[in-house]
């Protein structure tokens, strides 16, 4: 009986996460209300809060769930430069979640923020994995002269910075093209040829 209840609770959490991902992607984090998410699932707001005690906790769960998809891309390719470029392309279809991620990551610098540990762990893990991947491909120095440990945080920072600029002005910031150009410069040591 307890196993059946646990399975139903897991199914309900999955339904809530799917609805939250959709609502946050469409409306953004601030405008996407818990009431709208609960309504999309066909439950009360109180039932939703039983599974996720705050809106922040729900967003962190959505981000973690989304990371599982990203890990699928990374699992197929490793955390390579090309995998990161594909993730940038994937995020173009999820503007609301990119917005939420950007805002929440900035807010999470406060140690008491619900997403602080998520982002701290995520950045640490991403830097290590990317540095390991760069080292496996290029050794201790990339063709541009940086070590993998120097290049990894730069690549992540440029990705996050381009996302912010894209959110502010998607018409003039070709995030995928710019990110690939930066990667070519850092990883290969020279900018790509102009087209």
């Amino acid at each position: 009986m307890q196993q059946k209840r646990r399975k139903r609770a897991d199914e309900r959490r999955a339904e809530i996460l799917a609805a939250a991902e959709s609502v946050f992607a469409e409306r953004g984090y601030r405008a996407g209300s818990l009431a709208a998410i609960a309504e999309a699932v066909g439950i009360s707001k109180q039932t939703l809060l039983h599974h996720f005690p705050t809106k922040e906790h729900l967003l962190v769960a959505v981000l973690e769930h989304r990371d599982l998809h990203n890990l699928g891309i990374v699992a197929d390719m490793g955390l390579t430069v090309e995998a990161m470029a594909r993730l940038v392309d994937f995020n173009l279809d999820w503007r609301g979640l990119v917005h939420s991620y950007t805002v929440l990551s900035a807010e999470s610098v406060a140690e008491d923020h619900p997403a602080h540990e998520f982002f701290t762990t995520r950045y640490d893990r991403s830097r290590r994995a990317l540095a390991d991947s760069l080292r496996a491909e290029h050794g201790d120095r990339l063709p541009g002269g940086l070590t993998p440990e120097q290049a990894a945080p730069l690549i992540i920072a440029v990705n996050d910075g381009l996302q912010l600029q894209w959110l502010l002005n998607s018409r003039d910031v070709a995030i995928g093209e710019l990110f690939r150009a930066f990667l070519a410069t850092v990883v290969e040591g020279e900018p790509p040829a102009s087209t």
Side-chain angles (χ1 to χ4, degrees), residues 178-189:
L178 291 169
F179 188 63
R180 281 179 168 79
F182 173 75
L183 291 175
T185 302
V186 169
V187 175
E188 302 305 326

Side-chain angles (χ1 to χ4, degrees), residues 12 16 38 41-53:
R12 178 66 73 195
I16 293 168
V41 178
I43 59 175
S44 69
K45 185 175 169 184
Q46 277 310 112
T47 300
L48 186 152
L49 290 171
H50 171 73
H51 294 280
F52 299 96

Side-chain angles (χ1 to χ4, degrees), residues 118-191:
F118 169 82
F119 281 104
T120 300
T121 301
R122 186 178 194 277
Y123 277 118
D124 288 345
R125 186 177 59 236
S126 296
R127 281 191 306 272
R128 280 194 309 274
L130 185 54
D132 290 347
S133 177
L134 291 168
R135 177 168 279 102
E137 188 172 346
H138 299 283
D140 290 337
R141 289 268 174 206
L142 279 67
L146 296 173
T147 67
E149 287 73 23
Q150 291 170 326
L154 288 173
I155 291 169
I156 292 167
V158 167
N159 177 50
D160 287 358
L162 283 172
Q163 284 184 156
L164 174 61
Q165 292 181 59
W166 173 73
L167 288 168
L168 293 169
N169 185 353
S170 59
R171 191 177 20 147
D172 294 337
V173 179
I175 187 172
E177 180 183 325
L178 291 169
F179 188 63
R180 281 179 168 79
F182 173 75
L183 291 175
T185 302
V186 169
V187 175
E188 302 305 326
E190 54 186 67

Side-chain angles (χ1 to χ4, degrees), residues 68-116:
L68 290 177
H69 175 274
N70 292 352
L71 288 174
I73 294 171
V74 170
D76 291 342
M77 304 179 70
L79 186 55
T80 62
V81 167
E82 180 55 31
M84 288 200 66
R86 285 192 188 181
L87 292 175
V88 168
D89 294 337
F90 171 75
N91 284 337
L92 293 174
D93 293 331
W94 296 92
R95 184 180 179 87
L97 285 177
V98 171
H99 178 271
S100 299
Y101 172 91
T102 301
V103 170
L104 195 62
S105 64
E107 291 175 349
S108 74
V109 298
E111 289 186 17
D112 62 343
H113 192 278
H116 180 79

Side-chain angles (χ1 to χ4, degrees), residues 20-34:
E21 188 171 281
S22 177
V23 168
F24 291 155
E26 181 183 317
R27 303 177 191 179
Y29 174 68
R30 286 196 176 139
S33 69
L34 291 178

